[in-house]
């Protein structure tokens, strides 16, 4: 298989990867980067599974989506696998994003720099609150919301992070789509009604909190 053919195959495979697998891949990458820094050159699926508390068979199946295969009695080369995971996840390419809603959550996301190493860089935030406009949070400028439309004509930004109040989330999301955004990371509780081709990733802090508290309560029974 030529390099070009392999790239095409991986791109096709990426579209078919189940979401649970995609959720696990960053965990593999962070663990492998850690052991690589410790000088580990090769590692087996059972060793990865033991550390991450998952079945070795699942590890092999998950990592197969990168195109990298472990060798018998040797395992995976940590350098090769880290590179393959970064490439598959898109972490080695910076994707610029807008953020709308520079409140407490939005400000925290801007101040958090780690996501830039994951291929996501917030280049501008927008808000209607005059006390926030003109500030820089984590090196990200907070601009007047009306400037979103002007900047979108100049910049080819396809990703937006939505951290607005729930009651304006749908309207803002529609504006973002009209500005050319193709993927929205939605931190609001609003169920967005957008065209089918728009990618929406919902992240509910309250849902995660509910699961955590329920698991804690169950552990006490």
């Amino acid at each position: 298989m030529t390099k070009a053919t392999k790239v095409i195959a991986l791109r096709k495979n990426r579209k078919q990867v189940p979401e649970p697998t995609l959720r696990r891949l960053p965990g593999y990458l962070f663990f492998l980067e850690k052991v690589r820094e410790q000088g580990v050159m090769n590692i087996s699926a059972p060793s990865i599974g033991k550390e991450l508390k998952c079945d070795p068979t699942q590890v092999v199946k998950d990592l197969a989506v990168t195109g990298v295969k472990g060798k018998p009695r040797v395992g995976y080369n940590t350098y090769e696998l880290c590179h393959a995971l970064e490439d598959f996840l898109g972490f080695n390419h910076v994707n610029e994003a807008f953020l709308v809603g520079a409140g407490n959550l939005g400000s925290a996301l801007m101040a958090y720099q780690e996501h830039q190493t994951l291929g996501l860089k917030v280049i501008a935030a927008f808000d209607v609150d005059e006390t926030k406009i003109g500030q820089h949070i984590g090196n990200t400028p907070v601009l007047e919301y009306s400037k979103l439309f002007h900047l979108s004509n100049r910049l080819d930004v396809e990703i937006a992070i939505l951290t607005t109040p729930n009651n304006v989330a749908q309207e803002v999301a529609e504006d973002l789509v009209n500005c050319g955004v193709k993927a929205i990371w939605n931190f609001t509780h609003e169920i967005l009604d957008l065209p089918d081709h728009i990618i929406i990733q919902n992240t509910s802090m309250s849902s995660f909190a509910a699961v955590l508290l329920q698991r804690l309560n169950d552990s006490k029974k």
Side-chain angles (χ1 to χ4, degrees):
M1 180 183 291
T2 66
K3 183 176 181 180
T5 303
K6 185 177 181 180
V7 169
I8 293 173
L10 285 175
R11 286 176 177 173
K12 182 179 180 181
N13 189 38
R14 185 180 288 118
K15 296 180 180 180
Q16 301 171 343
V17 176
E19 185 169 328
T21 296
L22 287 174
R23 290 180 181 274
R24 287 189 292 267
L25 291 181
Y28 294 130
L29 176 58
F30 301 148
F31 169 71
L32 289 165
E33 288 177 334
K34 178 182 177 181
V35 298
R36 184 182 63 181
E37 291 174 358
Q38 295 171 347
V40 177
M41 294 289 295
N42 296 286
I43 190 168
S44 66
S47 296
I48 297 174
K50 180 180 179 180
E51 292 296 326
L52 299 183
K53 296 180 173 57
C54 57
D55 187 90
T57 303
Q58 185 65 62
V59 173
V60 173
K61 184 177 179 180
D62 287 344
L63 295 180
V65 303
T66 67
V68 176
K69 296 181 179 179
K71 297 180 180 179
R73 296 187 297 278
V74 176
Y76 297 93
N77 179 282
T78 56
Y79 286 84
E80 180 185 13
L81 190 52
C82 282
H83 178 75
L85 282 165
E86 288 174 341
D87 183 57
F88 185 87
L89 292 167
F91 289 176
N92 56 2
H93 171 72
V94 176
N95 298 277
E96 296 181 336
F98 287 148
L99 182 145
V100 183
N104 293 333
L105 179 55
S107 296
L109 290 172
M110 284 185 280
Y112 179 63
Q113 297 297 315
E114 186 67 20
H115 59 260
Q116 293 194 24
T117 65
L118 306 181
L120 186 64
K121 180 180 180 181
V122 179
I123 61 171
F126 303 89
D127 207 293
V128 295
D129 188 341
E130 294 183 357
T131 63
K132 296 182 175 69
I133 296 170
Q135 295 184 19
H136 279 72
I137 303 174
N139 297 322
T140 302
V142 181
L143 309 175
E144 184 179 348
Y145 181 68
S146 61
K147 292 187 177 181
L148 168 66
F149 307 93
H150 173 67
L151 277 181
S152 66
N153 291 328
R154 294 172 42 203
L155 306 174
D156 186 23
V157 175
E158 298 181 334
I159 302 172
I161 301 173
L162 189 60
T163 52
T164 64
N166 298 324
N167 62 326
V168 298
Q170 177 64 37
E171 180 181 354
V172 171
E174 291 174 1
D175 285 344
L176 289 168
V177 172
N178 290 332
C179 288
V181 166
K182 295 182 174 63
I184 296 177
W185 193 356
N186 178 31
F187 281 87
T188 76
H189 293 161
E190 189 71 15
I191 299 175
L192 302 177
D193 183 14
L194 299 173
D196 292 340
H197 69 276
I198 300 300
I199 300 169
I200 303 172
Q201 179 62 50
N202 296 306
T203 299
S204 172
M205 304 300 286
S206 60
S207 296
F208 288 125
V211 172
L212 175 68
L213 294 174
Q214 185 60 50
R215 292 179 64 183
L216 177 61
N217 291 333
D218 290 343
S219 71
K220 296 178 180 179
K221 294 178 182 179

